[in-house]
């Protein structure tokens, strides 16, 4: 069976044929390919076609596919048992290692996804402050928890859904939104609702509305305003963690949040999330305190082993500067190729997280991102895919690089992208 056969069969049993909406290629048209295996920076589909992969499972695979250290760790862990529902040393070791990268997480807890982490962070913020509202930013996506599906990015933006049926209006009303990078709006909202806002949650570098960097004053401004209004600041570093710097955006921009959520890289490709922060806040979590959160598979030994192997490799090899240099080369090369082909383009990277948009104007907010040429994105995406380069199938997603992407892979990508631009110009 080829990819198309698998997709037809998948659509019979799974909504849209996929287990997460953006994978369905609705933003770009056509059908998704079905993966047979991944190795290093490459994916191979069931039709034996090879792709240089810049999605990397949407971010987790900072060492590339099937990294030997991760595969070995998971295999050994599986031989010892797949789940116990009782503590293991692996959880303690991973928690200690995460704290080394993120010292602001004085205590943390592992869950199974970024969504679980952000949902819990908001519950804790509400429980700790005794307030009910949260403030998020347009185009930021914090998983599919009820409180976050208001002007959200990622699949919600890709499919053009303003919000989701099934989320009670009473709950949506408790989620306030402001444009990313717009401190004045945040100030206005605090003036109107300050006493009710439990937390501001933000992707400190947006990945789910396409790649959007914060203006220099934005994150320090959020820190100041949350402090003045006694609200918590939550950095959703599910994407930016270990990506924009060794210690995430809080390390790169030196702005320390009260709570942090992580996912993706800490699981080495297995399902893991984490939330954590100041000790006095985390001590409110059950069984120490009254705020409840639990999970049968939380701290699962396979996931902990994969995360430990990946983070230990990162700590031993410290690839962050080299990753950024290569990512910069990729982004600059792509921008040059597109512009030389007569099309406007803008883009940037921080660490190994990157993105480009087809537009003249700089992209500083989600409204800016929506005003880019998404039709041309579609053509570019498919022309690249046909030539064996897999970029995220939506203009509202960031790209990633791994340590397995060598100079020759970037050369090959740029050559294929150049060819793609010629073909669609
Ligand atoms: N929301 C994820 C990326 N921003 C998509 C995950 C997936 O489709 O696997």
């Amino acid at each position: 069976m080829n990819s198309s056969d698998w997709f037809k069969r998948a659509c019979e049993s799974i909504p849209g044929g996929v287990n997460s909406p953006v994978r369905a290629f609705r933003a770009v048209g056509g059908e998704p390919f079905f993966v047979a295996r991944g190795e290093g920076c490459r994916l191979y589909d069931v039709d034996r076609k090879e792709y240089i992969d810049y999605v990397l499972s949407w971010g987790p695979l900072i060492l590339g596919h099937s990294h030997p250290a991760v595969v070995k760790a998971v295999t050994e862990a599986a031989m010892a048992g797949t789940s116990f529902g009782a503590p293991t040393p692996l959880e303690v070791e991973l928690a200690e290692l995460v704290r080394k990268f993120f010292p602001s997480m004085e205590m943390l807890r592992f869950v199974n996804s970024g969504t679980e982490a952000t949902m819990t962070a908001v519950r804790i913020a509400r429980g700790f402050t005794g307030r009910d509202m949260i403030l998020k930013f347009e185009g930021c996506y914090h998983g599919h928890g009820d409180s976050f599906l208001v002007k959200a990015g990622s699949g919600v933006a890709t499919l053009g859904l303003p919000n989701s049926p099934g989320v009670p209006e009473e709950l949506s009303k408790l989620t306030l939104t402001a444009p990313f990078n717009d401190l004045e709006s945040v100030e206005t909202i605090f003036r109107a609702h300050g006493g009710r806002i439990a937390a501001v949650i933000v992707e400190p570098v947006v990945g789910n509305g396409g790649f959007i960097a914060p203006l220099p004053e934005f994150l320090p401004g959020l820190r100041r305003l949350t402090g003045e209004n006694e609200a918590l600041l939550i950095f959703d570093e599910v994407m930016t963690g270990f990506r924009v710097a060794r210690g995430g955006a809080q390390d790169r921009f030196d702005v320390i949040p009260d709570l942090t959520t992580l996912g993706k890289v800490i699981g080495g490709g297995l399902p893991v999330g984490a939330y954590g922060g100041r000790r006095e806040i985390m001590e409110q979590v059950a069984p120490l305190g009254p705020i409840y959160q639990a999970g049968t598979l939380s701290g699962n030994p396979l996931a902990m082993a994969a995360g430990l192997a990946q983070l230990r490799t990162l700590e031993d090899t410290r690839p962050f500067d080299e990753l950024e240099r290569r990512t910069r080369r990729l982004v600059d090369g792509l921008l040059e190729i597109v512009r030389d082909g007569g099309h406007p383009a803008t883009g940037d990277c921080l660490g190994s997280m990157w993105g480009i948009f087809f537009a003249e104007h700089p992209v500083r907010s989600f409204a800016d991102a929506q005003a880019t040429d998404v039709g041309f994105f579609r053509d570019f995406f498919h022309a690249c895919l046909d030539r064996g380069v897999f970029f995220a199938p939506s203009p509202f997603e960031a790209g990633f690089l791994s340590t397995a992407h060598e100079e020759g892979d970037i050369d090959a990508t740029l050559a294929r992208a150049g060819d793609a631009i010629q073909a669609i110009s």
Side-chain angles (χ1 to χ4, degrees), residues 129-199:
T129 60
R131 299 173 176 185
D132 56 358
M133 288 181 152
I134 60 164
L135 171 60
K136 73 175 280 290
F137 294 92
E138 293 167 12
C140 281
Y141 177 77
H142 305 288
H144 63 88
D146 282 352
S147 298
F148 302 124
L149 296 182
V150 182
K151 296 192 184 164
S154 191
V156 184
T158 300
L159 299 173
L161 308 170
N163 41 42
S164 173
V167 177
E169 208 189 319
E170 287 74 14
L171 193 61
S172 298
K173 279 192 197 143
L174 298 178
T175 301
L176 309 169
T177 60
F180 188 75
N181 271 330
D182 184 346
L183 272 184
E184 253 176 56
S185 294
V186 178
E187 262 177 311
T188 307
I189 290 171
F190 265 119
R191 267 198 298 277
H193 303 283
R196 282 186 68 182
I197 298 175

Side-chain angles (χ1 to χ4, degrees), residues 56 62 242-245 320 323-324 327 349-354 399-402:
L56 295 169
I62 195 166
F242 312 89
R243 284 282 178 191
V244 305
F320 303 101
L323 269 173
E324 175 150 333
T327 310
C349 71
L350 284 165
S352 55
M353 185 172 159
W354 64 276
F400 299 97
L401 206 88
S402 76

Side-chain angles (χ1 to χ4, degrees), residues 254-305:
D254 198 20
V255 175
I256 306 305
D258 302 293
L259 290 172
T260 298
T261 57
L262 294 173
K264 301 199 189 273
V265 169
I266 58 166
L270 274 82
V272 185
Y275 64 88
R278 274 169 36 213
R279 189 171 291 273
E280 60 163 333
I281 302 173
M282 290 300 290
E283 281 176 349
Q284 297 302 310
V285 177
L288 286 185
I291 303 171
Y292 199 72
Q293 177 275 320
T296 298
L297 291 170
S298 295
N300 172 268
L302 269 59
M304 297 293 103

